[in-house]
Amino acid sequence: MKVCKFGGSSVADAAQIAKVCDIMMADRERKVVVVSAPGKRSKSDVKVTDMLINCAERALGDFDVSRELDAIVARFSSIVSDLGVASSIAEEIAADLRDRVASDKSDPGEYLDRMKAAGEDNSAKVVAAALRARGAAAVYLNPAKAGMLLEGPPGDAVLCDVSYGFLHDSIERALWQPDNPIVVFPGFFGVNRDGKIATFPRGGSDITGAILASAMKAECYENFTDVDAVYAVDPRVVPDVAHGIREMTYREMRELAYAGFGVFHDEAVMPAFRAGIPINIRNTNHPDLPGTWILPSRRVDECRVVGIASDSDFVHIYVEKYMMNREVGFGRRLLQIFEEEGVSFEHMPTGIDNITIILRGSKFPTSIQGRVMQRIKKELQPDQLVCERDHALIMVVGEGMQHTVGTAARATRALAEAGVNIELINQDASEVSIMFGVRESERARAVNVLYHAFF
Ligand code: ASP
C-alpha cells in the first residue's frame, strides 16, 4: 500500500480537493491519505493555520475574536459549499471551532495547540466527505483515537515509539471494512499522556505522513505538493532552471536540506528514513509527472552531482594560537565555551595553529557574541581572535563523488574562473558532498557557476 500526504496548497479550495480525490481514486494502492489544513490559494492569501494562531493569540489576550472566528468558518464553509457536499459538515465544523475557541485557556500552550489542530482535523473531515461524494468509501480517523501519542512541549511535540503499533492496528481495523475504504487522517497533531491535543512543529503534517508510512510498512510515501520536482538548484538563485532531480538518496537529501533546500524538511521524514521507505515528492497539479524519488540507495553511475544548495547567515570565529597543535585539550575547551553558552556549532575546520568555528548566525545572536569572545580570550589566550558575519556555505552534493575523480577540481576551476574567492573547503570521508565557504556577496554568483559546471 501507499501512504499519501497532501500539503496545504493541495487542499486550499474545492478545486484542489477535487484533484486530491482524483489522485487517491486513481490508484487502489493509495489507502491512507494525510492532509494539511487549507493553505494559500494565492500569494497574498493567509493559511488557515495562521488564521487559527492569530485567533488563539487574540483569545488568550482576552480580545474579541468573533471576526477572526467568522473568517475561519467562512473559509471552511466556502470549501464545503463549492464541493457540493452536505452543508451539515460546515455546521459541524463551525460548532467545533466555536467549542475550541471557548475551551479552557488556563494553559496557553495547550490552548494554542488545540486551536492549531482544528485546521488539519476539519480539513480531513472535508476531504473524507468529498471522497464519499465521489463514490469512494472514505473514513476519517481521529489521531487521538488511533493512538498517535506524543510527548514534549506544546508546538514541538515528538512521537512516543509505542504509537507505531497502535497506529498500525487502528488503520488496519479501519481498512478492514466493506468497500475497501480510504483512511483520511489529519496531519500535524496527536494527543499527549493527559489526553490533551499536542502538535508537531510547523509543517508537521509531513511528519504524520512519514509516521503512518512507517507504521504501515508502506511500499512508498507519496508526498504531494505544488512543485513538479525537487530542483537541482534553488530557482530563485539560478533562474530559468528546469532541471528536476529524478532520484536521490536520503543522505543526499539530508545534505541538500541542511544547506537550505526548502521543499522538504529532512527531520520530518526521519520515520520513513528509519523504515527505509522510498519517498516520492509529486505535484498535485501535475499528477502525471514522476516527481522526485528519495531512496535508501540508488545507482550512481549516470549522475555524479544531484544538487547544489547554499545557505547564508553563517558566522566564522577564527582562533589562532602559536603551537596550538601541541596544546592538549585546546579544542575541547574552546567547544566547551559554546556548549556552556548553549550554542551548537556547525563545522570546525582546523589548521596547525588555528581553528575556525562556523556557526549559524540565528543561533549566535550579537547579544551573546561579546561575552563568548571575552571568554575565549580569557580562557584560551589566543594570539588572534576574529569574529566575522555574512558568510555563506555552498554544498555540492552527490553520492557518485566516491567513485569519481575530479569533482572538486571541476568545482574549484569554475569558481576560480569566475573570480570567486573560496574561503574554506570541507569534504568528509563519506564523500557525499563538498562544502565551500564564500562571502555572502559572492554566493549567488558562485552557485550559478557551479550549477553550469555540473549540469
Ligand atoms: N498546517 C500546519 C502548518 O501550516 C502543518 C502542515 O501544513 O504541515 O504548519
Side-chain angles (χ1 to χ4, degrees):
M1 67 141 78
K2 296 176 183 172
V3 169
C4 305
K5 180 253 164 180
F6 289 86
S9 59
S10 304
V11 290
D13 59 22
Q16 289 300 94
I17 292 175
K19 294 180 191 169
V20 172
C21 294
D22 289 343
I23 292 169
M24 288 307 294
M25 292 170 74
D27 182 346
R28 288 173 68 85
E29 293 303 310
R30 293 182 176 133
K31 297 253 178 236
V32 179
V33 54
V34 173
V35 292
S36 281
K40 293 184 179 193
R41 292 158 294 186
S42 63
K43 267 213 170 99
S44 56
D45 201 9
V46 184
K47 286 172 145 199
V48 164
T49 308
D50 290 320
M51 296 168 87
L52 288 161
I53 292 171
N54 177 39
C55 179
E57 283 171 348
R58 282 182 60 86
L60 284 167
D62 258 347
F63 292 105
D64 174 44
V65 293
S66 39
R67 257 191 32 210
E68 287 72 16
L69 181 59
D70 286 350
I72 302 165
V73 170
R75 189 76 203 272
F76 278 106
S77 300
S78 78
I79 295 176
V80 168
S81 86
D82 291 350
L83 278 170
V85 295
S87 59
S88 58
I89 294 170
E91 285 152 28
E92 274 169 42
I93 293 174
D96 171 72
L97 289 165
R98 273 196 296 273
D99 283 352
R100 290 186 202 240
V101 168
S103 67
D104 177 23
K105 297 183 186 60
S106 55
D107 184 322
E110 279 178 15
Y111 181 77
L112 201 58
D113 272 9
R114 193 154 51 244
M115 287 290 288
K116 282 194 289 189
E120 272 60 19
D121 204 16
N122 289 309
S123 176
K125 289 177 187 166
V126 171
V127 171
L131 280 163
R132 280 195 295 270
R134 289 165 170 250
V139 287
Y140 155 83
L141 197 56
N142 182 282
K145 296 211 175 96
M148 178 71 85
L149 302 183
L150 309 188
E151 59 192 0
D156 199 18
V158 292
L159 186 78
C160 303
D161 278 346
V162 288
S163 304
Y164 285 109
F166 298 146
L167 290 165
H168 176 269
D169 294 349
S170 308
I171 292 174
E172 278 292 338
R173 248 194 317 276
L175 290 171
W176 191 253
Q177 288 181 45
D179 304 328
N180 268 321
I182 293 169
V183 169
V184 187
F185 201 102
F188 192 37
F189 74 96
V191 69
N192 66 21
R193 259 175 228 281
D194 304 325
K196 302 271 169 51
I197 286 173
T199 66
F200 292 119
R202 291 298 304 268
S205 299
D206 282 337
I207 308 179
T208 307
I211 290 169
L212 297 194
S214 167
M216 300 314 292
K217 303 207 168 30
E219 156 200 340
C220 76
Y221 170 28
E222 289 183 317
N223 192 297
F224 284 90
T225 173
D226 51 13
V227 290
D228 288 341
V230 177
Y231 293 106
V233 71
D234 185 342
R236 287 167 306 183
V237 182
V238 185
D240 307 322
V241 171
H243 188 100
I245 300 176
R246 219 172 30 149
E247 53 180 46
M248 63 177 145
T249 64
Y250 278 107
R251 290 207 304 176
E252 289 170 329
M253 179 202 63
R254 168 96 181 97
E255 301 273 337
L256 290 167
Y258 170 82
F261 263 43
V263 179
F264 221 38
H265 199 308
D266 52 343
E267 270 176 44
V269 295
M270 191 71 126
F273 163 68
R274 286 226 186 97
I277 294 168
I279 302 173
N280 191 193
I281 298 181
R282 306 181 65 153
N283 192 345
T284 304
N285 306 312
H286 298 133
D288 43 316
L289 296 179
T292 298
W293 281 94
I294 302 167
L295 306 162
S297 63
R298 68 180 180 96
R299 282 183 44 193
V300 288
D301 48 353
E302 43 185 305
C303 174
R304 282 178 289 163
V305 170
V306 287
I308 297 166
S310 70
D311 213 355
S312 8
D313 192 25
F314 286 92
V315 181
H316 287 191
I317 297 181
Y318 178 80
V319 188
E320 188 181 300
K321 189 173 184 185
Y322 189 59
M323 300 294 238
M324 180 191 285
N325 65 333
R326 302 224 189 129
E327 195 173 324
V328 176
F330 189 94
R332 182 190 53 73
R333 281 185 286 136
L334 178 59
L335 291 181
Q336 195 164 338
I337 295 176
F338 290 96
E339 183 180 347
E340 285 167 5
E341 297 289 339
V343 178
S344 70
F345 78 99
E346 303 293 317
H347 306 279
M348 190 178 61
T350 57
I352 301 170
D353 285 336
N354 56 67
I355 299 182
T356 305
I357 306 280
I358 301 177
L359 312 156
R360 285 201 186 260
S362 56
K363 293 187 190 152
F364 188 62
T366 38
S367 53
I368 64 166
Q369 179 179 324
R371 187 173 68 231
V372 171
M373 297 299 274
Q374 276 309 321
R375 281 193 65 182
I376 298 174
K377 247 189 221 152
K378 198 164 142 235
E379 294 170 36
L380 294 161
Q381 317 218 314
D383 298 327
Q384 207 188 335
L385 178 63
V386 183
C387 176
E388 276 183 348
R389 290 185 176 262
D390 289 330
H391 288 268
L393 288 184
I394 298 171
M395 309 282 278
V396 177
V397 178
E399 295 267 3
M401 285 180 200
Q402 289 171 48
H403 314 289
T404 324
V405 175
T407 314
R410 195 149 150 194
T412 50
R413 195 178 315 118
L415 292 170
E417 278 166 10
V420 174
N421 180 37
I422 302 170
E423 299 197 310
L424 64 95
I425 304 181
N426 192 13
Q427 180 183 43
D428 67 63
S430 67
E431 292 188 58
V432 184
S433 67
I434 306 176
M435 185 183 90
F436 295 101
V438 298
R439 276 266 165 208
E440 173 55 28
S441 53
E442 307 213 278
R443 176 166 77 107
R445 193 151 50 95
V447 172
N448 266 278
V449 296
L450 286 170
Y451 179 76
H452 292 293
F454 287 103
F455 292 92

